[in-house]
């Protein structure tokens, strides 16, 4: 059985769905968010769990034979950054302890494309040296720190560590007002019948639709063999705001959308993730281009708040 922590979050729920589609038994944990998504199959077991509670995590292992762990649980920073780092580090260390106690085969953990900030080479590839550029947000700082903590903690344990450098992911279950991705707020404005602020046509960057992200994670955790300990997860293609506006117009023909010429900050390409390593290891290719993703998301939002 595969354990997905944070299994009712956006990426976690789509990962659990993809794993069951591949024929695997899944137990998904939930802490703050407890509403079961409509797309999550009934055979996914959902357990309430605080991953910072070692006794509760140990008890979960007594109830289920856990073979692999996908650790996606995390919190949102408040004003006290140290409290955020303390809580999410405690959760990571508790799950690493559990992985070793249960002798799982593979432990995958959420990283971020933010680890590449400061890299001038585009697209961003896993073998680039990660710079020491300042992290603009506590989540990016923590997820960058997750990589050496996880790989070092599992060294010589017989457990394969897999760092998931997840791209700019959006889709069903994401907060429509999220500050972390521009697409859901933009579409939400349109769905409210409002006129979104004009965007620069040639701005853009990395994007990944959540069902594709979940399937990529599922393929990595279940692959027979993996040759690396870090994998980019995204679409492998950049998008532009011009493409976004065209996609929204296709899904919502009456939308009033304006484009500004060029780029907001001058010439130069926006960074995005290369997924060649992921594709070679698992055969993954995205099922959604931007137009298909926007169409699917608008249909989802017609019946769901998030």
């Amino acid at each position: 059985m595969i354990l997905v922590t944070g299994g009712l979050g956006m990426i976690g729920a789509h990962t659990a769905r993809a794993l069951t589609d591949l024929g695997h038994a899944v137990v998904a944990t939930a802490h703050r968010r407890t509403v079961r998504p409509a797309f999550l199959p009934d055979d996914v077991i959902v357990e309430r769990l605080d991953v910072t509670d070692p006794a509760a995590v140990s008890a979960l292992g007594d109830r289920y034979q856990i073979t692999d762990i996908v650790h996606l649980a995390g919190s949102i920073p408040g004003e006290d950054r140290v409290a955020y780092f303390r809580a999410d580090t405690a959760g990571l260390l508790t799950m690493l302890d559990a992985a070793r106690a249960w002798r799982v085969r593979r432990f995958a953990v959420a990283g971020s494309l933010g680890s590449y900030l400061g890299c001038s080479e585009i697209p961003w590839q896993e073998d680039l040296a990660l710079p020491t550029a300042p992290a603009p947000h506590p989540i990016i700082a923590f997820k960058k720190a997750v990589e050496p903590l996880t790989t070092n903690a599992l060294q010589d344990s017989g457990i394969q560590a897999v760092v998931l450098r997840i791209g700019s992911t959006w889709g069903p279950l994401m907060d429509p007002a999220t500050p972390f991705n521009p697409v859901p707020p933009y579409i939400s404005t349109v769905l409210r019948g409002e006129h979104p602020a004009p965007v620069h046509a040639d701005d853009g960057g990395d994007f990944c639709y959540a069902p594709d992200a979940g399937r990529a994670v599922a393929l990595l955790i279940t692959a027979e063999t993996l040759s690396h300990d870090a994998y980019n997860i995204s679409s492998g293609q950049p998008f532009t705001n011009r493409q976004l506006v065209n996609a929204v117009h296709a899904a919502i023909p009456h939308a009033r959308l304006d484009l500004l010429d060029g780029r907001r900050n001058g010439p130069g390409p926006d960074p995005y993730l290369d997924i060649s390593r992921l594709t070679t290891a698992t055969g993954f290719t995205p099922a959604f281009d931007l137009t298909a993703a926007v169409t699917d998301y608008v249909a989802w939002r017609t019946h769901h708040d998030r």
Side-chain angles (χ1 to χ4, degrees):
M1 177 169 282
I2 299 173
L3 173 64
V4 180
T5 70
L8 297 189
M10 177 181 63
I11 297 175
H14 287 287
T15 298
R17 167 65 187 271
L19 285 167
T20 59
D21 288 346
L22 292 171
H24 297 276
V26 178
V27 56
T29 73
H31 186 210
R32 295 172 182 84
R33 181 181 297 177
T34 58
V35 177
R36 189 183 185 102
F39 60 79
L40 197 64
D42 292 339
D43 52 355
V44 173
I45 300 168
V46 177
E47 289 271 1
R48 295 290 297 273
L49 181 72
D50 180 353
V51 295
T52 68
D53 183 343
V57 171
S58 179
L60 184 75
D62 293 337
R63 296 195 296 277
Y64 303 101
Q65 186 66 41
I66 305 299
T67 58
D68 301 271
I69 297 173
V70 181
H71 181 50
L72 301 174
S75 59
I76 301 297
E79 292 184 3
D80 188 342
R81 296 185 177 210
V82 173
Y84 161 71
F85 291 136
R86 181 181 295 112
D88 277 32
T89 301
L92 172 64
L93 297 180
T94 299
M95 295 313 303
L96 287 168
D97 272 337
R100 294 187 300 177
W102 302 338
R103 298 182 179 180
V104 301
R105 182 183 68 118
R106 194 167 284 161
F107 182 95
V109 64
S112 168
L113 89 170
S115 294
Y116 293 108
L117 290 176
C119 287
S120 59
E121 300 91 336
I122 296 173
W124 286 339
Q125 300 172 322
E126 294 93 341
D127 56 2
L128 292 174
L130 300 183
T132 56
H137 193 277
I139 290 179
I140 293 174
F142 177 74
K143 289 187 182 298
K144 190 168 183 176
V146 158
E147 298 200 17
L149 290 174
T150 299
T151 54
N152 192 274
L154 296 180
Q155 187 174 342
D156 301 323
S157 68
I159 301 167
Q160 184 170 23
V162 182
V163 175
L164 310 168
R165 292 181 182 165
I166 300 173
S168 188
T169 304
W170 64 279
L173 302 186
M174 192 172 213
D175 179 1
T178 178
F180 299 116
N181 189 292
V183 179
Y186 188 85
I187 293 176
S188 294
T189 301
V190 177
L191 291 176
R192 291 194 301 268
E194 300 173 7
H195 189 189
V199 291
H200 286 78
D202 297 329
D203 282 345
D206 191 79
F207 94 95
C208 185
Y209 196 50
D212 276 336
R215 185 164 55 87
V217 175
L219 289 171
L220 283 169
I221 198 67
T222 59
E224 185 174 346
T225 60
L226 292 176
S227 301
H228 303 279
D229 58 13
Y231 289 85
N232 289 342
I233 292 177
S234 197
S235 69
Q237 297 289 331
F239 83 99
T240 65
N241 284 332
R242 187 187 307 279
Q243 293 171 317
L244 174 61
V245 164
N246 289 339
V248 174
H249 265 308
I252 312 172
H254 63 271
R256 294 184 303 135
L257 309 175
D258 295 324
L259 281 171
L260 302 174
D261 290 336
R263 295 172 51 81
R264 180 177 52 187
N265 296 318
D270 288 305
Y272 67 98
L273 294 180
D274 178 275
I275 62 168
S276 299
R277 180 182 288 184
L278 168 66
T279 298
T280 299
T282 68
F284 171 83
T285 55
F288 293 87
D289 60 14
L290 186 61
T291 298
V294 168
T295 299
D296 185 79
Y297 183 69
V298 168
W300 166 267
R301 287 290 305 280
T302 301
H303 304 288
H304 303 87
D305 290 339
R306 327 173 44 111

